[in-house]
């Protein structure tokens, strides 16, 4: 089924793959002191660090160089543009890119998706048909999200 705030299985898969690659087969959280030489550099921008502060883990060394340098989201996008990364014009149309099918996106994103990426909207609806529960916690389908 769809991810939820309390069950973000899609994010968990990404994190698990990263941890397995960097830390090996054993669970890194059960190894105090084992990973002291590994530093994780997370690419979050100034302003996002407040939402990430609860993710502190004494077994990991995490650094946020963009936050330290004071880079905002706009600074990061300008930097990417200046180096030839234009993301297919995506940031000219929406303010934040994420997984197209994430039910945690705001309603305005799904309005944009339906209008500008109808092939992805069709895939989203197709996926909903095979899901054991509604797309959003308080709704039944992607179309219902737009009707609210």
């Amino acid at each position: 089924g769809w991810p939820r705030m309390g069950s973000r299985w899609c994010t968990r898969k990404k994190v698990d793959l990263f941890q397995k690659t960097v830390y090996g087969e054993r669970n890194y959280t059960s190894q105090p002191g084992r990973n002291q030489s590994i530093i994780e550099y997370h690419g979050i921008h100034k302003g996002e660090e407040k939402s990430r502060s609860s993710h502190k883990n004494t077994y990991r060394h995490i650094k946020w160089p963009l936050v330290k340098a004071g880079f905002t989201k706009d600074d990061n996008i300008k930097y990417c543009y200046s180096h030839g990364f234009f993301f297919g014009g995506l940031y000219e149309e929406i303010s934040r890119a994420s997984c197209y099918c994430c039910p945690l996106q705001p309603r305005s994103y799904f309005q944009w998706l339906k209008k500008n990426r109808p092939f992805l909207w069709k895939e989203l609806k197709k996926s909903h048909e095979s899901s054991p529960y509604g797309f959003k916690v308080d709704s039944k389908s992607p179309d219902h999200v737009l009707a609210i």
Side-chain angles (χ1 to χ4, degrees):
W2 299 106
R4 300 272 191 257
M5 284 306 285
S7 176
R8 296 177 71 174
W9 57 264
C10 47
T11 302
R12 182 80 255 154
K13 281 186 166 193
K14 176 181 70 175
V15 170
D16 286 347
L17 178 62
F18 169 80
Q19 290 173 350
K20 183 178 179 183
T21 302
V22 173
Y23 296 104
E25 292 291 330
R26 294 185 292 174
N27 182 346
Y28 73 96
T29 58
S30 65
Q31 304 295 320
R34 174 177 174 262
N35 304 309
Q36 299 302 310
S37 63
I38 297 173
I39 299 172
E40 295 178 29
Y41 290 89
H42 291 203
I44 64 169
H45 59 76
K46 184 172 173 51
E48 270 189 314
E49 75 276 11
K50 292 179 184 109
S51 67
R52 302 294 198 268
S53 63
S54 65
H55 296 152
K56 291 181 180 173
N57 182 311
T58 57
Y59 306 124
R60 296 164 62 192
H61 292 285
I62 300 173
K63 294 192 178 195
W64 302 334
L66 301 175
V67 171
K68 187 175 182 180
F71 275 46
T72 64
K73 181 177 78 170
D74 289 340
D75 294 330
N76 292 327
I77 291 171
K78 286 176 190 173
Y79 178 85
C80 290
Y81 283 4
S82 73
H83 287 80
F85 298 102
F86 298 101
F87 309 100
L90 191 60
Y91 284 100
E92 302 300 320
E93 298 179 41
I94 59 176
S95 65
R96 184 177 181 97
S98 187
C99 299
Y100 81 92
C101 61
C102 181
L104 305 176
Q105 296 275 24
R107 181 175 180 252
S108 60
Y109 168 78
F110 294 109
Q111 292 169 326
W112 173 86
L113 185 73
K114 185 176 182 179
K115 179 181 177 188
N116 296 288
R117 301 293 192 275
F119 60 98
L120 291 177
W121 181 255
K122 186 177 177 182
E123 284 296 314
L124 181 74
K125 289 179 66 170
K126 184 178 172 184
S127 295
H128 172 72
E129 292 170 10
S130 63
S131 177
Y133 51 84
F135 181 63
K136 291 252 191 188
V137 173
D138 59 350
S139 66
K140 297 180 181 176
S141 72
D143 284 320
H144 184 90
V145 171
L146 296 183
I148 296 173

